[in-house]
Amino acid sequence: MKFFEPHESIARFINVSRNYFMEAYGFIAAEANEWFGLSRLSSGDKILEFGGGEGIMTINLAKLSPADFIFIEKNKHMADLARLNFNEAGISGRTEIMVGEVEDADIPSNSISFIISRGAIQFTDYKKTITNLVRWLKPGGIAYFGCGLGMNISDEYRVKMDKYFDAKKDKKDTTNADVFDEMKIEGYKLLIEKHFDDELEYVKAVNINGFFFEIKKSLNTSLNTLPNN
């Protein structure tokens, strides 16, 4: 894959992403395809990723699924980099880029077949984000979001990432870790208390060498009773 030069304001983040998380995007995309049947979607279906940086997860998923994509990224420079990467990967015609906060994104209700995000929700107003995800999903659609590396990572990659996370702890570099820990509890409560009975078929907390939520919108949800965007 060709790498484009990032804007200086995001260079450090991109360097870390490319050196440490590139493999995880591939693992998670492959597992999502296997577990949720993304290759069986059609070009009329929509997959949404938010907070995806330079777009590597979407690129991996686009290799596996014929669906169209919506990519939400609040940082303009990240979005610019993703646009270059999507063009290089030959998926620009299948990908709509939206620059802005996921909390404020204008997505029609009941329109998205699959939503994915890795390492971003703790940087949002997560309660509003979660409510949006539930509203955007089609009946039967699945959202998969959190912060992990994939279930079936290699031993070599596991050792590499253990060293990386140990170094972050030593430097006391735990950006938004408290928010993420809060989200595990309060986000679960929100999903169960506000959405489960009327809108969701299930809510799962999944360990994929990190924490992910998996939710599925009920096929029995009445489209007539849900709020429009």
Side-chain angles (χ1 to χ4, degrees):
M1 177 178 174
K2 177 180 179 180
F3 288 119
F4 295 95
E5 190 69 25
H7 187 271
E8 60 182 8
S9 65
I10 59 171
R12 179 178 175 274
F13 178 92
I14 291 296
N15 182 61
V16 170
S17 177
R18 290 174 179 175
N19 284 322
Y20 292 101
F21 293 101
M22 194 69 65
E23 290 178 74
Y25 301 137
F27 286 126
I28 295 169
E31 289 163 1
N33 178 53
E34 177 184 354
W35 298 339
F36 309 123
L38 303 183
S39 61
R40 296 194 294 271
L41 298 177
S42 71
S43 59
D45 290 302
K46 298 281 189 182
I47 293 175
L48 183 148
E49 182 185 11
F50 68 89
E54 62 177 323
I56 305 304
M57 181 81 77
T58 285
I59 290 170
N60 276 284
L61 287 171
K63 295 175 182 177
L64 302 169
S65 176
D68 293 329
F69 290 82
I70 296 175
F71 183 82
I72 304 175
E73 172 55 57
K74 67 180 180 180
N75 185 294
K76 176 186 180 300
H77 300 301
M78 290 286 191
D80 289 343
L81 202 56
R83 186 173 287 105
L84 291 172
N85 286 332
F86 295 159
N87 185 62
E88 179 70 15
I91 63 169
S92 292
R94 298 168 55 196
T95 308
E96 176 186 358
I97 297 175
M98 302 178 70
V99 181
E101 303 281 359
V102 65
E103 301 95 313
D104 301 322
D106 185 15
I107 305 292
S109 300
N110 313 301
S111 65
I112 307 296
S113 298
F114 184 71
I115 297 172
I116 191 165
S117 179
R118 189 225 161 270
I121 192 166
Q122 66 269 35
F123 297 101
T124 75
D125 179 346
Y126 68 84
K127 292 184 178 181
K128 187 174 181 181
T129 297
I130 287 172
T131 296
N132 279 352
L133 303 187
V134 174
R135 177 164 52 83
W136 295 341
L137 284 174
K138 289 181 176 180
I142 289 172
Y144 194 57
F145 55 96
C147 196
L149 301 174
M151 183 72 77
N152 300 310
I153 65 175
S154 65
D155 291 340
E156 181 181 6
Y157 185 56
R158 187 187 303 277
V159 170
K160 176 181 178 179
M161 294 308 294
D162 283 346
K163 291 180 179 177
Y164 169 75
F165 288 123
D166 286 344
K168 282 175 66 72
K169 289 179 183 177
D170 290 343
K171 294 178 182 177
K172 294 183 172 55
D173 181 9
T174 56
T175 307
N176 279 54
D178 290 344
V179 174
F180 191 75
D181 287 342
E182 174 191 309
M183 190 272 299
K184 293 178 187 179
I185 299 170
E186 296 301 321
Y188 186 81
K189 287 174 59 179
L190 175 69
L191 286 164
I192 296 298
E193 294 174 1
K194 183 175 180 180
H195 299 291
F196 181 70
D197 287 341
D198 296 327
E199 297 171 86
L200 297 178
E201 181 176 321
Y202 65 71
V203 177
K204 295 182 182 179
V206 185
N207 179 7
I208 59 163
N209 292 294
F211 180 88
F212 265 64
F213 275 125
E214 177 189 333
I215 61 174
K216 183 175 182 179
K217 195 161 187 174
S218 174
L219 285 169
N220 297 322
T221 300
S222 171
L223 300 185
N224 294 326
T225 63
L226 292 176
N228 291 320
N229 198 23

